[in-house]
Structure formats: structure tokens, C-alpha cells
């Protein structure tokens, strides 16, 4: 089904920005939000110049703010007339090992953004999609890190992305027999601001253009879930749960 009006959170950089470009090129109208409004405004200028037939709405939004998430999503709906696809993408990495005082604030910020923020976005999205009652597509950006609890500095991020995946699976079950479709995405490493801050070599990383092209393609198919790119991450997903803990301990 052609989803004409697409809301993307975290559209000021990386995957969200790349998806905005991909869907603009396919002629879709966009509702883009993030905290850095200046970046969104620049992006809107570029996209509407390149694709004058589309409408691009931008709003500033911190996804950890409960009242603002509902307000901004509703505002986008009013501006575009309807929301046909909502992509819950905003997220952060960082934090550090659990139980170290210096990392506490970073881990809490990560949980607020990735877990509370995703919950709030899902809540606002489902409320709108149910009310519209004409079908719609909810997409959640989990991660390959959700497939197995990871040690050290990755622990909180992995847990947060497992929570996102769990929201996706639950809402997918809720949507059975309704016109709503829910897709949970498990991307492997894609080079963005997020990966740039991690330092060191990142295995199997792909460039943002390719990553977002593959993600957009997967989103258009509207599966219940997708691992992107499939190689080498599908076989990794199949085996990572079976690894002994002493092997997983080396993954930090
Ligand atoms: N890159 C990867 O390898 C990879 C792999 C698997 C999953 N993912 C997931 O993909 C998503 C996008 O990540 P990315 O790699 O594209 O990273 P990124 O370039 O750092 O982009 C993150 C986006 O989230 C937004 N954001 C962060 N905190 C926010 C908040 N409190 N309120 C609103 N927006 C917020 C940022 O915008 P502002 O700072 O302007 O608010 C930015 O637009 C994340 O959920 C991430 O976990 C990434």
C-alpha cells in the first residue's frame, strides 16, 4: 500500500535523515521532528527544492517529553490531513557499564530517550492510527543489539533496544485483525553520528546511504520484522542467542 504521509522522528541526522531523503524521492509528504530544528529547516529547504511536489512539515520535539510527543504528532496530522506511516526512529547510544557512578546519568538519559521516548511515540502513534481507522503503518527502529544482552558499556543500549523490539512485537500482536501494520527493524551497523562517537573499528559497518536505502526498501515491504542488511546479520541473529556467556563477555 502506498503510504502518502510519513512521520519520521530523529530526522535531523543519520538514519532518520536518510529515510527522509529516500521517501521524498518516492514523492511522499513528510513530517520530520528532532530537537535540532535548524537542521530540519535546512533539510526541508533542500527537499522541497528538489521535489517541489511534496509537502515537508518540520517541528522541534524532544521525545522524552510526554505531553509534547502527543501534541506534535497531532499537529503533524492536522498539517498533513492524515498520517499513513509513523517511524519511531529517534534514539541515542552512549552510557557505560552498569553500577559505575560516572555512567549513571548517561545510562538514565539513554533509557529515557530509547525506552520512555519510544513508548511515548508508540502511544501517540497508535492513538492516531486507531482513530483514523483507515489503516496505517507503524515502524520501530530496534537494533541487532536487541538480539542478546551485551556486556559492559553496551548493556543499557542493548536492553533499551530489546524494549523497543518488545513494543513492536506487542503492538504487532495487538494490530492483528485491524488495518494497522507494525514493522520492527533490526539494523546492523550503519555509519552515522551515533557510530562516529563510538571510537574504534566497527565490524560489518555500511555507509549511511546504502543503509537507509536498504531500510527504506524493507519498510516499503511492510514485514512484521526485518534484519537489515540481511548479510551477515541474519546468521548472526540466528546464532547469537546460542553463544555461551563467556563468549558474549568478549563482545564489549
Ligand atoms: N547507526 C547504527 O548503526 C544503528 C544500528 C541499529 C539501530 N540504530 C538506531 O537507529 C536510530 C537512529 O540512529 P542513527 O544511527 O541515525 O543516529 P544519529 O545520527 O545520532 O541520529 C539520532 C537521531 O535521533 C534524534 N534524537 C536523539 N535524542 C532525541 C530526543 N530526545 N528527542 C528527539 N530526537 C532525538 C537526533 O536528533 P536531535 O539530536 O536533533 O534531537 C537524531 O536525529 C536510533 O534509534 C538507533 O538506536 C542505529
Amino acid at each position: 500500500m502506498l503510504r502518502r504521509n510519513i512521520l519520521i522522528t530523529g530526522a535531523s541526522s543519520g538514519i532518520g535523515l536518510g529515510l527522509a531523503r529516500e521517501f521524498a524521492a518516492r514523492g511522499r509528504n513528510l513530517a520530520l521532528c528532532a530537537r535540532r530544528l535548524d537542521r530540519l529547516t535546512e533539510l526541508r529547504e533542500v527537499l522541497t527544492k528538489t521535489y517541489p511536489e511534496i509537502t515537508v512539515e518540520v517541528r522541534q520535539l524532544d521525545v522524552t517529553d510526554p505531553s509534547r510527543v502527543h501534541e506534535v504528532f497531532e499537529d503533524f496530522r492536522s498539517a498533513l490531513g492524515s498520517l499513513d506511516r509513523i517511524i519511531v526512529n529517534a534514539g541515542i547510544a552512549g552510557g557505560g557499564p552498569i553500577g559505575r557512578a560516572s555512567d549513571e546519568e548517561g545510562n538514565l538519559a539513554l533509557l529515557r530517550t530509547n525506552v520512555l521516548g519510544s513508548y511515548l511515540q508508540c502511544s501517540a502513534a497508535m492513538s492516531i492510527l486507531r482513530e483514523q481507522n483507515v489503516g496505517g503503518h507503524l515502524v520501530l527502529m530496534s537494533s541487532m543489539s536487541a538480539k542478546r544482552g551485551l556486556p559492559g558499556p553496551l548493556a543499557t543500549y542493548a536492553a533499551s533496544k530489546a524494549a523497543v523490539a518488545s513494543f513492536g512485537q506487542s503492538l504487532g500482536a495487538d494490530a492483528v485483525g485491524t488495518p494497522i501494520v507494525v514493522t520492527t527493524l533490526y539494523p546492523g551497523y550503519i555509519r552515522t553520528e551515533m557510530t562516529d562517537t563510538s571510537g574504534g573499528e566497527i565490524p560489518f559497518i555500511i555507509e549511511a546511504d546504502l543503509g537507509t536505502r536498504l531500510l527504506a526498501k524493507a519498510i516499503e515491504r511492510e514485514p512484521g520484522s526485518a534484519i537489515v542488511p540481511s548479510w551477515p546479520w541474519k546468521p548472526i541473529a540466528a546464532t547469537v542467542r546460542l553463544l555461551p556467556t563467556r563468549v558474549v563477555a568478549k563482545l564489549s
Side-chain angles (χ1 to χ4, degrees):
M1 176 176 297
L2 195 132
R3 310 288 185 185
R4 181 130 325 266
N5 299 332
I6 303 180
L7 189 164
I8 306 172
T9 68
S12 61
S13 67
I15 291 173
L17 184 149
L19 289 177
R21 288 201 188 114
E22 285 290 327
F23 290 122
R26 291 165 161 84
R28 315 300 171 78
N29 300 318
L30 297 172
L32 307 177
C33 54
R35 291 166 301 179
R36 289 170 291 181
L37 186 61
D38 53 335
R39 291 219 187 174
L40 297 175
T41 308
E42 271 172 41
L43 178 60
R44 177 179 56 193
E45 256 169 53
V46 172
L47 293 179
T48 48
K49 209 171 265 176
T50 317
Y51 309 103
E53 72 283 6
I54 68 167
T55 301
V56 181
E57 293 285 336
V58 299
R59 301 284 185 277
Q60 186 165 43
L61 175 65
D62 182 336
V63 295
T64 65
D65 183 339
S67 59
R68 282 287 291 158
V69 176
H70 281 260
E71 196 176 288
V72 168
F73 279 29
E74 280 295 348
D75 191 23
F76 277 139
R77 180 184 31 176
S78 305
L80 294 180
S82 67
L83 294 176
D84 308 317
R85 174 178 288 148
I86 298 173
I87 305 179
V88 174
N89 168 71
I92 58 172
I98 295 172
R100 207 162 66 179
S102 57
D103 290 312
E104 194 76 350
E105 196 36 57
N107 286 336
L108 289 174
L110 200 152
L111 291 167
R112 274 192 291 271
T113 307
N114 295 5
V115 183
L116 174 67
S118 296
Y119 166 78
L120 293 169
Q121 293 168 73
C122 288
S123 170
M126 288 305 286
S127 149
I128 287 173
L129 295 180
R130 284 190 186 121
E131 202 184 303
Q132 290 180 163
N133 202 25
V134 288
H137 187 201
L138 175 67
V139 180
L140 292 94
M141 202 62 72
S142 178
S143 164
M144 276 300 298
S145 316
K147 297 287 183 185
R148 174 83 191 248
L150 296 173
L154 302 172
T156 308
Y157 181 75
S160 76
K161 288 289 151 178
V164 172
S166 183
F167 288 145
Q169 288 158 13
S170 301
L171 293 172
D174 286 347
V176 169
T178 79
I180 298 171
V181 179
V182 180
T183 297
T184 306
L185 294 172
Y186 298 88
Y189 291 122
I190 296 172
R191 200 180 306 282
T192 64
E193 285 178 18
M194 184 179 282
T195 57
D196 286 349
T197 54
S198 82
E201 260 313 291
I202 300 179
F204 310 119
I205 193 161
I206 59 172
E207 297 306 314
D209 282 357
L210 174 60
T212 48
R213 195 160 64 243
L214 295 174
L215 284 167
K217 225 169 130 186
I219 290 169
E220 293 279 69
R221 287 201 317 270
E222 304 194 0
S225 68
I227 292 171
V228 181
S230 52
W231 178 261
W233 297 107
K234 263 192 182 174
I236 289 174
T239 48
V240 72
R241 281 191 182 279
L242 307 174
L243 291 177
T245 305
R246 64 174 186 285
V247 176
V248 173
K250 296 187 178 136
L251 297 177
S252 72

